[in-house]
Amino acid sequence: MRVVFAGTPAPAVPALQALIDSDRHEVAAVVTRPDAPAGRGRKLVRSPVGALADERGIEVLTPAKASDPEFLARLREIDPDCCPVVAYGALLRDEALAIPRHGWVNLHFSLLPAWRGAAPVQAAIRHGDEITGASTFRIVRELDAGAVFGVVTEQIRATDTAGELLERLSISGADLLSATLDGIEDGSVRAEEQPADGVSYAPKVTVEDAKVDFTAPAAAVDRLIRAVTPEPGAWAWLGEERFKLGPVTVTDEQLQPGEIKTEKRRVLVGTGTTAVALGQVQAAGKKRMAATDWARGTRIEQGDKLQ
């Protein structure tokens, strides 16, 4: 099939690469978000998906909105059979949805109808799910509500961060998306409507959402920190200074919520149940370091608490 791929961040790259390498599909163009400022110099940088397309000599379309008339006109000229989508990051209106004859097919990193929305992987970890996966579905006007073509499942490991889990899903999901397009082309796959039961939503995770509440149980603190690693990153206050926190280890120690206890080989912080051992800590403007190194360089007094 002749396809136009829509995607933006790094987790969408494996899917695009799989379609480029496929002998059954032609990637006629790529749609991605406009170049954005990044780094200390705030220079405009191409998205990971756009960068791969540039490297492979594929036309890149960067509309400010997917409803831009010039973009829609160009999409009609290209005349794609289907538009596969992975984390594109822009709303698709009816006019755009009507252009490809087989519609827009989205790869979403959850087992729909669970965790519709922008942050399904983070939600699955934070809520303690044991199994997640990826789904391909036909895009409709309602958020992530279209009929599902296929799924793959993935076990959530006890130490998984959102970044690690998403990396695995991006690879297995790329195979799923390719297989879905193969099936659409030869008529061997049929989309099934999502059940009405089991719908849940995973909105975008904000910086405020990533603040650690040490009055919560240790298991919840552990899951929250892993769910927001690497982005936006868990954080807490020590006095008037804010620190980012990496994944922690749950222990059997007993401390008051937020209370800090420094030992030779670990730094403990109390929660609503048992204490957790800090992994890495990052002060503002500094590099991440082991919690023991951070504690040696920080004046922690008896009674100090992370809040």
Side-chain angles (χ1 to χ4, degrees):
M1 283 196 298
R2 181 174 172 84
V3 303
V4 171
F5 181 91
T8 298
V13 168
L16 174 58
Q17 185 66 64
L19 293 178
I20 291 172
D21 293 341
S22 171
D23 58 4
R24 295 188 59 170
H25 308 296
E26 173 199 358
V27 181
V30 160
V31 185
T32 192
R33 299 295 293 153
D35 297 0
R40 291 185 177 181
R42 308 305 291 168
K43 293 182 179 179
L44 290 179
V45 175
R46 187 73 111 184
S47 75
V49 162
L52 175 58
D54 288 338
E55 179 185 317
R56 300 301 293 267
I58 298 170
E59 179 181 358
V60 178
L61 308 174
T62 58
K65 295 181 179 180
S67 58
D68 286 355
E70 290 184 5
F71 164 68
L72 294 174
R74 179 60 187 140
L75 192 60
R76 290 189 189 95
E77 288 176 355
I78 296 171
D79 192 26
D81 296 307
C82 187
C83 291
V85 183
V86 186
Y88 170 44
L91 185 64
L92 296 166
R93 301 290 186 183
D94 290 347
E95 193 173 4
L97 294 178
I99 292 175
R101 55 186 56 86
H102 290 296
W104 296 67
V105 176
N106 192 37
L107 171 65
H108 183 75
F109 297 116
S110 81
L111 297 176
L112 292 169
W115 305 129
R116 297 175 180 176
V121 172
Q122 294 90 329
I125 292 176
R126 184 167 183 172
H127 287 80
D129 295 355
E130 295 181 355
I131 299 292
T132 188
S135 307
T136 49
F137 69 95
R138 180 176 286 114
I139 293 180
V140 295
R141 182 180 295 182
E142 186 181 350
L143 178 66
D144 298 339
V148 173
F149 289 102
V151 300
V152 291
T153 60
E154 180 74 36
Q155 182 176 0
I156 300 178
R157 301 168 186 170
T159 59
D160 268 338
T161 64
E164 291 165 345
L165 180 56
L166 184 55
E167 183 175 2
R168 296 203 306 276
L169 287 171
S170 70
I171 295 170
S172 60
D175 292 337
L176 171 64
L177 182 60
S178 291
T180 297
L181 296 183
D182 291 350
I184 291 173
E185 182 183 40
D186 62 25
S188 63
V189 68
R190 185 178 67 179
E192 299 287 346
E193 295 297 329
Q194 295 183 35
D197 296 334
V199 175
S200 54
Y201 291 93
K204 182 179 179 180
V205 178
T206 67
V207 172
E208 191 58 36
D209 293 332
K211 185 180 185 300
V212 181
D213 175 10
F214 286 102
T215 66
V221 169
D222 165 51
R223 294 197 304 264
L224 168 66
I225 294 174
R226 289 189 290 112
V228 297
T229 299
E231 294 295 337
W235 59 278
W237 296 103
L238 176 58
E240 296 183 355
E241 192 169 1
R242 179 167 142 172
F243 295 91
K244 278 193 170 185
L245 305 174
V248 298
T249 303
V250 177
T251 76
D252 294 327
E253 299 280 343
Q254 295 289 334
L255 294 171
Q256 292 298 309
E259 180 184 354
I260 303 171
K261 179 182 178 182
T262 60
E263 298 179 348
K264 184 176 181 180
R265 297 191 177 183
R266 62 181 185 172
V267 178
L268 302 178
V269 180
T271 75
T273 52
T274 59
V276 295
L278 298 182
Q280 291 189 320
V281 182
Q282 182 178 13
K286 297 184 179 179
K287 294 182 179 180
R288 285 182 177 264
M289 64 181 70
T292 49
D293 295 334
W294 165 75
R296 280 193 290 268
T298 304
R299 293 182 180 179
I300 298 175
E301 300 180 1
Q302 187 172 359
D304 281 350
K305 292 185 176 182
L306 282 176
Q307 296 178 338

